[in-house]
Amino acid sequence: MSPSSLGWLLCCCALLSPAAGYVLMSSVSWAVPNEVNEELDSASTEEALPALLEDPARPLRTRPKPPRAPPRPAAAPGMFSYRRERRPAPPAAPAAFGPAPRARLARSLAHANSWGCVAAVAARDKLQGLPFGSCLLVSDGPFNNGTGTPFFYVTARDPVVADLMKNPMASLMLPESEGEFCRKNIVDPEDPRCARLTLTGRMIMVTPEEVEFAKQAMFSRHPGIRKWPRQYEWFFMKMDIEHIWLQKWYGAVSDVSREEYFKAVPRKA
């Protein structure tokens, strides 16, 4: 070998000898001592490489940490620091509707409700003259033949019925508990926006000529009452309506005439 070739070879060795102590991993270089090379050759998983390649004299480079968000200002003394949610706007009042729509809504409530709250004047000694009420099953007729007149299937053993036998004046409240507005808007049945109908008048016994219709009205809407114990001596009553009161919004109560009420056609369910 000529002296010039030997010099060229020594020069190349001098340039390549530092690369023997490095291992390339994801474009990052770590200095590796010569005594670790054998351990790297025998390593079978990449999880072991960081421990083998770690050199305390040359720490690894790390990504810079993102800047921290500025601290939130402290709440003033005596105030809550939670985030306030924006409340939805209150519902707008419905447009005024005339006597005919009011009468139709009243007839619809009378026909749709299967129960109501009856209030009477107590005739018993301890409650003499005080208002006393109870919830009773009610029907104004079969599903396809509503009359607007509420019928009842009662017994004289009921305290309210016993009071009515002595003083027939009573009131009947029918809520829109299953109405369209309350159901769609998930409103409490006692919310004033859910319509409620109050009928006042005299509670009278059904005449023999009306007994058959009263049976159809009650038994078609409440089939289970056919099996009620007979020893309670059940009989039919109805309310002879004198006044109709309809509440549809906060505080407002409308007086519906009897003529408009009985002339109106209830809405279909």
Side-chain angles (χ1 to χ4, degrees):
M1 181 179 295
S2 61
S4 60
S5 299
L6 181 59
W8 174 255
L9 181 60
L10 292 176
C11 182
C12 291
C13 292
L15 293 175
L16 295 178
S17 57
Y22 290 86
V23 175
L24 296 180
M25 292 291 295
S26 301
S27 302
V28 180
S29 298
W30 291 275
V32 181
N34 292 330
E35 59 270 14
V36 182
N37 286 336
E38 296 180 359
E39 298 182 13
L40 289 176
D41 295 338
S42 61
S44 59
T45 59
E46 293 183 3
E47 289 78 0
L49 293 178
L52 296 174
L53 300 177
E54 185 177 1
D55 184 4
R58 191 172 183 178
L60 301 177
R61 295 181 180 179
T62 58
R63 292 184 179 180
K65 295 183 179 180
R68 294 183 179 181
R72 296 178 60 182
M79 296 182 62
F80 295 103
S81 59
Y82 60 83
R83 181 178 300 175
R84 298 180 61 184
E85 298 182 358
R86 181 175 299 177
R87 295 183 178 181
F97 55 115
R102 288 198 299 263
R104 187 181 185 188
L105 177 58
R107 280 294 302 274
S108 301
L109 292 177
H111 185 61
N113 274 275
S114 58
W115 62 273
C117 299
V118 177
V121 180
R124 285 157 288 168
D125 295 337
K126 295 182 179 180
L127 299 175
Q128 186 76 32
L130 297 178
F132 190 84
S134 180
C135 293
L136 299 178
L137 298 181
V138 63
S139 172
D140 78 327
F143 288 104
N144 59 350
N145 187 18
T147 63
T149 298
F151 289 85
F152 305 86
Y153 190 56
V154 295
T155 174
R157 299 188 185 186
D158 190 316
V160 173
V161 178
D163 294 335
L164 292 172
M165 300 299 290
K166 297 181 179 180
N167 185 352
M169 299 305 299
S171 66
L172 170 65
M173 196 276 288
L174 302 172
E176 193 185 13
S177 58
E178 299 297 331
E180 180 180 358
F181 179 86
C182 302
R183 182 174 63 254
K184 287 186 176 180
N185 295 276
I186 316 179
V187 177
D188 191 293
E190 297 303 320
D191 192 294
R193 290 170 293 173
C194 288
R196 62 192 69 180
L197 175 68
T198 301
L199 305 175
T200 60
R202 298 170 60 89
M203 294 284 288
I204 60 177
M205 295 182 62
V206 173
T207 60
E209 293 78 15
E210 292 183 299
V211 168
E212 189 61 32
F213 182 82
K215 287 182 179 180
Q216 295 178 10
M218 292 300 298
F219 294 163
S220 63
R221 305 285 291 272
H222 309 283
I225 65 178
R226 291 177 178 269
K227 300 180 181 180
W228 284 2
R230 296 183 179 273
Q231 64 267 26
Y232 286 88
E233 301 178 351
W234 304 95
F235 61 94
F236 295 96
M237 295 187 75
K238 71 175 184 178
M239 174 177 280
D240 185 11
I241 300 174
E242 297 181 1
H243 299 284
I244 301 103
W245 304 93
L246 178 67
Q247 182 179 3
K248 179 60 178 174
W249 200 248
Y250 298 99
V253 179
S254 303
D255 185 4
V256 181
S257 67
R258 294 181 72 255
E259 181 182 1
E260 292 286 345
Y261 175 78
F262 285 106
K263 186 174 62 176
V265 178
R267 297 176 302 188
K268 292 184 179 181

